[in-house]
Structures are given as C-alpha cells and as structure tokens.
Amino acid sequence: MALKGDYKSESQDLAARADSAHLHTLIHGQDTRNLAQSLEQVSHHTGALKRMISPLSLMEPVGAGQDHQNAEQLNKSKVGSFAGALASALINHMLMFGMCCSYGMIIFSEERNAAHRALGVKMCLAASFIGGGLMSVISGIPVAIGGTDLNPAVFYGDWVITISDELTKSLVLGDYASYSSSSGRLLKKNDPTKYFCKGDHLLANPQECESYHAQLRATTIFAVAFSTLLLAIIWSVLGKLKLTRYVSYMPYSISEAFLACVGYKVFFYAIKFCDFDPRQFFTAAFIGIALYFCKALHIGNPTIMMPLGLLLPLAIFWGIAVATDQTPASVRDAGWLFPEVKNEPFYLVWLDSLGSVANINFSAWVATLPNLAVMLVVSTMDCVLKLHATESKLPLKVSTDDEALKFGIFNYLLACFGSATGYMQLKFNVISYGVMRNAHDRRAGMIYALFCGAAYFSTVEHFNYLPKLFLSALLFFAGAGFVTDNMWGSRKFLHFSEWLEIVVILIVFIAAGQLIWAVVAGLVLSGLAFIAKYARVPSMDGKPKRGDQVTTRERPVGEVGHQSFMHIASAWILIVNLKGYVFFSSCVAVMRSVETYFQKEDENKVPAYRRLKFLIFDGSALDGHQVAHHPLSQMVQTRKPNGLAGHYSVNYISLRRGWDVHFARLLPSTRTTHSSWHPGREGQFVDSPRAPGLKRYGFPARQNLRFSKEERRL
C-alpha cells in the first residue's frame, strides 16, 4: 500500500508539473511572479525594464506556460505606435538626405565637375527610394533601412576623377591652368580645376567643354549602373547557392584594413569639404564624432538625441547669420556654403545615358576597371558583414543567404534606374530600432522610402542651404565607425601582429592614394602571414618510429621468422606519421627530421648493411599535400651519404589515406604476389639491397617499379 501511495503522489506531482501555470509558479515562486507583474506595470517602455533588470525572462524554460507563449507571440506581432514609426522615418530621412548630398559631393568632388552634383545626389536618392522601399516590404529584417553606402560612393568619386582625366586628355583640355576666371580671385587652397571650362578657358574651347560635360555624365551613369548590375549578379548568386558564408573566410585583419582605408578617405573628404579651414572642420568633427558616440554608446533617447544633433547645429548657424544681417548669398560668398546647385529632373538619368549612347566614352571607362574589381570585393564584403552583425545589434534572426538574394534582386531594378548600389544600412537600422523600441514594425522603412521618393521626384535645391560644416559633420559621423571599430577597436581582439597588418595597409593607402595598392599590400601580407603561421604547425604526429617500434597483430611467417624480420626492420625501416596538410613550407620540418636521422648514421659510421633502406610516410591522418610530387619524395630519392664509399638510395613509400600503420595490414601475407600488392605507394625503388625476409613480407623484388596514374596521384 505504501508503494501504491508513493506512486500516486508521484503521478500527481508529475501532472501538476505538466500544467504550465503550476510549472511557472514552481520554478519562479509566487513572489517573483508578482514582482515580474509589478515591473511590467511600472515600466515606461513595456517590457524594456523587465528585460534589463529582471532575469525572469531568461530563467523561464521553453514552453513554460501559455502566458509565456502568448507573450512571445504578441512580441512577434507587436506593432508600435504610428508616431514612433513617423519619428524614426523622419530621423533616418534627414540623415540619409544629408548623406546623399555628401555622396553627391564625393562623386563629383572636383570643381570642374561641380555642375553635376545634383545628378550624384539623385542617383543616391534613387537607391534610398527604390532599395529602401523594397527592403521595407520583402526583407527578413522588418526595421531595415536601405540605401547606398560610403564604400560605393568613395569608389564612384575615384572613377569620376579617372574619367575626367581621360576625357581631358582626349579633348585636349589640359591647358586650363594657364587661364584665369573672368571674375573672382584665385585663393591659395582652391581646387586647381576650379577654372576648368570657365571664363577664358570656356571661351577658348566652347565645343570641347560641351562635349566634355556630355561625355562625363553619360560615362559616369554607365559606370555606376554597370557596377550595380555586377553586384546584383554577385549577390543573387551568393544568396541562391548559399555561399555567403565563404565571404567571411577572408582574413579578418585584411577586411578591417580595407574598411579602415575607406574611413580615412571619408575623413579626408570631410576636411576637404571645409576647404581645409580649421574653424569649420574642427567644429564639424566635434559635432559628427559626438553624434556617433551618442548612437554607439546609447547615450540618451535616440528620438531626442538624433534630431537634436542634426537640427541644433543648423539652427545655431542660421541664427548667427540672421543676427549678423547676412543673406544666403553673402554667407556663400564668405565660403560657408557650397556653390549653388540647380535641381535636375530624375528622367535625365535615362536621357543622358541611354538617350545619348554615343557620348559614353568606353576608353575612359576601361581605365576604371582595376578600381571596379576592388569595389566589387569591398562592397560585397561590407554587405555580408553588416548582415552578420545584425543579430548582435537587433533581437532578430537573420538568414544571410536569403537577404543577399533579395538585395541582388532589387539591385537589378536599381541598375535600370542608373542608380548607385543599395543595400541595408546597419547604423540606420539601429537608430530605427532605438526610436521605435520595436524590431518588427515595417512602417518606418516604408515612410522613410516615401520621403526619399518625394525628394527624388521633386527637388534637391534645399541642399543649397546646408552649410559645409554640416555635410562635413555627417561624413565625420559616418566615418567614425570605420576608424573606431575597424581600425582602433580591432586591436582589442586581434593579435598585435595582425593589427600591424591593418596599420601597414592603411599607410600604403595613404602614401599611394589608391585603394588598389592597399589591396595588393593586403594580399602580400596575408600570404606572408599564412606562410609564417602554418610553417610553425608541425606536419608530423610525434617522432619518427623505427620498424620494431610498431606493434603487429599477425605473424605471417611464424614467430621465429617474425623476430628475424623485426630485427631487420629496426635498422632498415623508418616510419614518419604525417597529419594535416603538407605544403611547401610545413614539409621543411619533416625533411629536417629525416635529415637528422641520416646525419646520426653518418656520425656513428653505421655500416651500409644496417643503414636505412625504407622510409615510410604514414598518411592515415593526412588531409593532403601541395603537389603530386612534393619535396618529400625528392628528398628521399636523392639522399646520398657523406664520407662513405659507394652509393645507395632510400626507398620511399607513402601510405594511402585511411590505412593503419600495422604490419599485419601494411605487409600482406607470403601468398600475396607483387601484382596484387597495393599499399598506396608513390615514388621509386632504385639500387636497394634485397633480403628474403622483406620479400616474404610483400616488398617487391625488382628494382624499378612503374605505377599507374591513379597510384601516382594517390
């Protein structure tokens, strides 16, 4: 009866535990359950304080009650307030519009191309409008904010400079330095191309200048659209074939170095936009870097801090201008505003490219191909790394392959619009999530895309009222992440030698001025680092073994014959156990080990009949070697003793992968003939003394062996 009662109480206890409500109370206790409810009620942001303070959400087991499941389901389908989505969209649009204006300035950074800056702004806004809109609908990251990035914009700027130089040579317009403007004065720090196709230079070359601008626009649009198309193909293939994980195989120090180079270039443009005036770029650096650290360190409420950081400097600037009775024209003449930019209709992208194919200068475009290859690598790497980093920044699970496929699909459409490359902007995603406190609301991205579309289809002339230091501050804000995270921040988790690789690549980029040389330096450094690192990894599993040190399980010639063979094997056979991958550097240690054995024989003056005859490389743990005839075979076939008369060579046997080093399997029985003996050897036996004992154990009796192609490959 006692046993039956115990069984009944145990079954009741199991039934109580199976009930989700009882399970929740048993684990947490009623007091902690009441505490969780109180925290839920007093928290300003529902659930936020509970996640930060109370560990109950982490303690609760999977499926621990219907209340828990309902809460999880509610969180997944939770839709924040429309005001939060609108605030997020406005903040991100202000940031992105300012960034697009900065990108347009970067693309056409030289004074000779200043008339086309509105085109650069529109090309970047198209990526924000089309890419951001499609991403807000189909992306697996609901709060995703799409648009172009600093990486492509920097490369576009280099392309435009290259195309401009090629066009200047082909149209014989290189004599602009000898002309002066019909008005104004030449300042010390002005762009040397400021008077290109202006003033007297324009009067002297009217047709050439007109052709220059037409060809520049058409060639630039074609170059940008073509790069967008190539990236669309690459990303869609990577996503479809599930290959994005291989992008992360690039050495981390090299990828960080490339992004640090982009950060340096962005800082250079930020200072250049301020005409190298310390009053402007120091103020811009303070605003931009302070805004970055407010975002990165989560200082304050982003709903307040981000608009404050953007609008307050503008309000102070124009407040001072109004207080000193200055007009926009006088402020522009004083050098605080960029030259006035006129709006360009969006359809000019097609009219000036597809509508005038004859103006596309393919010779000038070919000169940009080396930078195009680097741009494809860096942009792909940046896109995939941002997808990988999303899970650490947002409470979401992201499929990198699916997202890369989606990015590739909508970049096909961007290429048709002659637009810059577009993909997810992680820093904007974090801002959107911080403002809404919700990672599942798509409305912010949709409203943001509508704002960008309104600017794309209407006008961008409010760009004329943005001071230079404001756009420079935005570049400092965007570039600070490259410097703090990719360069300075990487020293915390990289070895000092790996961090030095970043510094060396950055120095090469600064000295050369082109990223292509930084890429070459990165490839050389990564190759040297690979050789230096894996040359220290031993390819031998333990010390070489003599023939009598291997335990055998069978005695094919009887005990007496076996003892005789083991006596001979102790002198004639040496077994080297290989592991991992043997390549041109790691095999040096193997050769040195065998050479040491030969040197000991020479020093001890071992008689010829007791010297090593068979060198066996056990490849049971070997992953592979560099080439079919690697240096190990050459070493053992050409070895000759020093100080001894006569000549002999060492026989070389390499076991097939997966074979055990047991003589019972390595050496077949006496009934085995040479034609059926296949230990997976490669090499050649030459001039070797023979012994009947070895022949009975299966070693071939003739001197020269010919192997099939398959045996040689193995």
Side-chain angles (χ1 to χ4, degrees):
M1 294 298 293
L3 292 175
K4 184 176 181 180
D6 293 340
Y7 175 76
K8 183 176 181 181
S9 62
E10 183 179 356
S11 62
Q12 291 176 351
D13 183 62
L14 290 175
R17 291 179 180 273
D19 187 1
S20 60
H22 287 285
L23 182 62
H24 188 278
T25 307
L26 286 172
I27 294 178
H28 292 166
Q30 189 63 36
D31 294 336
T32 56
R33 189 175 183 181
N34 294 335
L35 176 61
Q37 294 176 356
S38 300
L39 289 173
E40 185 74 25
Q41 294 174 0
V42 302
S43 177
H44 175 67
H45 298 288
T46 304
L49 185 61
K50 177 181 175 181
R51 288 192 301 270
M52 291 188 292
I53 300 177
S54 174
L56 304 184
S57 58
L58 298 177
M59 293 168 55
E60 190 163 355
V62 177
Q66 191 64 33
D67 295 338
H68 174 78
Q69 296 177 1
N70 292 339
E72 288 294 324
Q73 189 67 25
L74 179 62
N75 182 53
K76 290 182 179 180
S77 61
K78 181 173 62 176
V79 177
S81 65
F82 179 78
L86 181 61
S88 173
L90 282 172
I91 293 172
N92 283 307
H93 171 67
M94 287 190 295
L95 272 174
M96 183 55 73
F97 180 80
M99 296 304 298
C100 288
C101 293
S102 300
Y103 298 159
M105 291 289 301
I106 291 175
I107 296 173
F108 298 100
S109 59
E110 293 182 319
E111 288 291 338
R112 58 179 168 179
N113 304 323
H116 310 291
R117 287 170 177 170
L119 173 65
V121 177
K122 285 294 183 76
M123 294 169 70
C124 297
L125 281 175
S128 304
F129 165 53
I130 302 172
L134 292 176
M135 195 178 299
S136 65
V137 176
I138 66 175
S139 176
I141 306 172
V143 293
I145 302 295
T148 193
D149 195 75
L150 271 172
N151 293 304
V154 169
F155 283 100
Y156 297 156
D158 292 339
W159 296 352
V160 170
I161 294 175
T162 302
I163 294 171
S164 299
D165 292 339
E166 294 296 324
L167 293 178
T168 301
K169 294 177 183 178
S170 63
L171 296 174
V172 195
L173 291 172
D175 58 341
Y176 59 89
S178 60
Y179 293 89
S180 62
S181 177
S182 58
S183 63
R185 60 188 182 90
L186 182 63
L187 299 178
K188 182 179 179 180
K189 296 181 180 179
N190 275 345
D191 191 327
T193 66
K194 181 175 182 179
Y195 301 110
F196 181 88
C197 285
K198 296 177 183 178
D200 296 336
H201 190 237
L202 176 60
L203 294 175
N205 305 279
Q207 294 181 354
E208 290 81 359
C209 288
E210 182 180 358
S211 177
Y212 168 83
H213 289 293
Q215 292 186 41
L216 176 66
R217 291 174 65 90
T219 309
T220 300
I221 295 172
F222 172 77
V224 172
F226 184 77
S227 66
T228 302
L229 178 62
L230 288 181
L231 285 173
I233 296 173
I234 293 172
W235 294 349
S236 57
V237 170
L238 289 177
K240 184 66 176 179
L241 301 181
K242 311 294 184 183
L243 300 177
T244 56
R245 64 183 182 274
Y246 294 108
V247 177
S248 59
Y249 288 177
M250 178 179 290
Y252 193 78
S253 58
I254 304 302
S255 61
E256 293 291 286
F258 293 161
L259 296 177
C261 291
V262 174
Y264 163 79
K265 192 77 171 182
V266 171
F267 274 19
F268 172 78
Y269 278 120
I271 298 175
K272 182 181 178 181
F273 287 173
C274 294
D275 297 328
F276 302 95
D277 184 359
R279 296 176 303 169
Q280 296 193 48
F281 69 74
F282 276 127
T283 305
F286 174 78
I287 296 172
I289 296 176
L291 192 62
Y292 167 78
F293 281 108
C294 285
K295 177 190 74 70
L297 302 179
H298 307 287
I299 299 175
N301 189 338
T303 311
I304 299 174
M305 298 301 296
M306 295 306 297
L308 189 66
L310 294 172
L311 299 178
L312 184 60
L314 286 176
I316 295 175
F317 177 84
W318 286 111
I320 295 174
V322 172
T324 54
D325 295 329
Q326 296 190 44
T327 62
S330 61
V331 174
R332 182 171 287 106
D333 292 337
W336 293 94
L337 298 178
F338 290 105
E340 190 172 356
V341 174
K342 295 182 179 180
N343 182 57
E344 293 191 0
F346 68 93
Y347 52 80
L348 289 182
V349 173
W350 293 291
L351 293 180
D352 292 340
S353 56
L354 296 178
S356 57
V357 179
N359 287 326
I360 300 177
N361 193 314
F362 290 99
S363 298
W365 170 72
V366 168
T368 67
L369 292 183
N371 277 333
L372 173 61
V374 180
M375 180 262 189
L376 297 177
V377 174
V378 173
S379 297
T380 301
M381 177 185 64
D382 183 52
C383 177
V384 175
L385 291 179
K386 284 181 177 178
L387 288 173
H388 284 311
T390 299
E391 293 185 4
S392 63
K393 302 290 185 180
L394 301 175
L396 294 171
K397 193 71 175 176
V398 180
S399 173
T400 308
D401 294 314
D402 293 342
E403 294 302 310
L405 177 60
K406 294 173 183 176
F407 293 171
I409 291 174
F410 71 68
N411 268 279
Y412 286 111
L413 185 59
L414 292 180
C416 296
F417 276 77
S419 168
T421 300
Y423 52 97
M424 182 197 71
Q425 301 299 299
L426 182 59
K427 54 182 173 291
F428 289 87
N429 297 358
V430 174
I431 293 173
S432 181
Y433 171 69
V435 172
M436 295 190 299
R437 301 291 182 179
N438 180 8
H440 304 279
D441 195 343
R442 297 182 180 270
R443 292 178 297 177
M446 296 178 182
I447 301 172
Y448 152 83
L450 292 177
F451 286 148
C452 293
Y456 175 70
F457 288 111
S458 59
T459 181
V460 295
E461 290 188 355
H462 40 298
F463 163 83
N464 295 321
Y465 300 97
L466 298 178
K468 292 180 179 180
L469 62 86
F470 177 77
L471 295 184
S472 178
L474 290 180
L475 290 182
F476 277 114
F477 167 75
F482 291 101
V483 176
T484 57
D485 297 338
N486 302 116
M487 182 181 174
W488 184 250
S490 59
R491 64 183 176 83
K492 297 180 180 179
F493 48 85
L494 288 178
H495 191 270
F496 182 73
S497 60
E498 295 176 328
W499 186 74
L500 280 182
E501 294 177 9
I502 299 178
V503 177
V504 171
I505 294 174
L506 182 60
I507 293 174
V508 170
F509 173 69
I510 295 173
Q514 293 183 352
L515 194 59
I516 184 67
W517 296 113
V519 172
V520 173
L523 294 177
V524 172
L525 287 177
S526 62
L528 294 176
F530 175 82
I531 295 173
K533 180 178 180 180
Y534 287 96
R536 296 192 295 265
V537 177
S539 297
M540 293 191 305
D541 189 7
K543 296 181 179 180
K545 299 178 181 178
R546 304 182 67 90
D548 60 343
Q549 293 178 327
V550 179
T551 304
T552 61
R553 292 187 246 176
E554 297 182 5
R555 305 290 190 269
V557 292
E559 185 64 30
V560 176
H562 177 74
Q563 293 297 329
S564 176
F565 170 76
M566 295 299 288
H567 175 71
I568 297 173
S570 64
W572 283 15
I573 298 176
L574 183 68
I575 302 172
V576 179
N577 297 306
L578 301 179
K579 66 177 182 177
Y581 191 90
V582 178
F583 68 108
F584 60 91
S585 180
S586 59
C587 68
V588 173
V590 179
M591 290 190 289
R592 287 178 179 173
S593 176
V594 178
E595 286 286 348
T596 302
Y597 188 86
F598 291 150
Q599 291 173 2
K600 289 182 179 180
E601 287 186 339
D602 295 342
E603 293 173 358
N604 297 330
K605 297 182 179 180
V606 178
Y609 68 91
R610 291 190 57 85
R611 288 188 175 243
L612 182 67
K613 302 297 186 297
F614 298 95
L615 178 60
I616 301 175
F617 290 107
D618 175 14
S620 58
L622 186 65
D623 296 329
H625 51 77
Q626 182 190 6
V627 292
H629 297 86
H630 48 72
L632 293 177
S633 61
Q634 299 175 6
M635 185 266 299
V636 296
Q637 291 179 22
T638 59
R639 164 67 186 167
K640 296 180 181 180
N642 296 322
L644 293 178
H647 169 271
Y648 77 94
S649 296
V650 178
N651 297 303
Y652 168 66
I653 302 174
S654 178
L655 294 185
R656 187 177 301 158
R657 282 181 289 175
W659 282 62
D660 296 329
V661 186
H662 294 293
F663 286 131
R665 297 187 63 183
L666 170 64
L667 305 175
S669 63
T670 56
R671 294 186 299 273
T672 303
T673 61
H674 169 63
S675 59
S676 61
W677 183 71
H678 293 286
R681 61 200 178 279
E682 68 175 341
Q684 197 174 44
F685 295 126
V686 291
D687 299 332
S688 294
R690 294 287 175 256
L694 290 178
K695 182 177 179 181
R696 295 190 67 185
Y697 269 80
F699 282 94
R702 56 185 183 179
Q703 295 180 351
N704 296 319
L705 301 179
R706 296 184 180 274
F707 305 115
S708 64
K709 293 182 179 179
E710 182 178 359
E711 288 179 326
R712 289 177 182 175
R713 188 182 75 243
L714 295 173

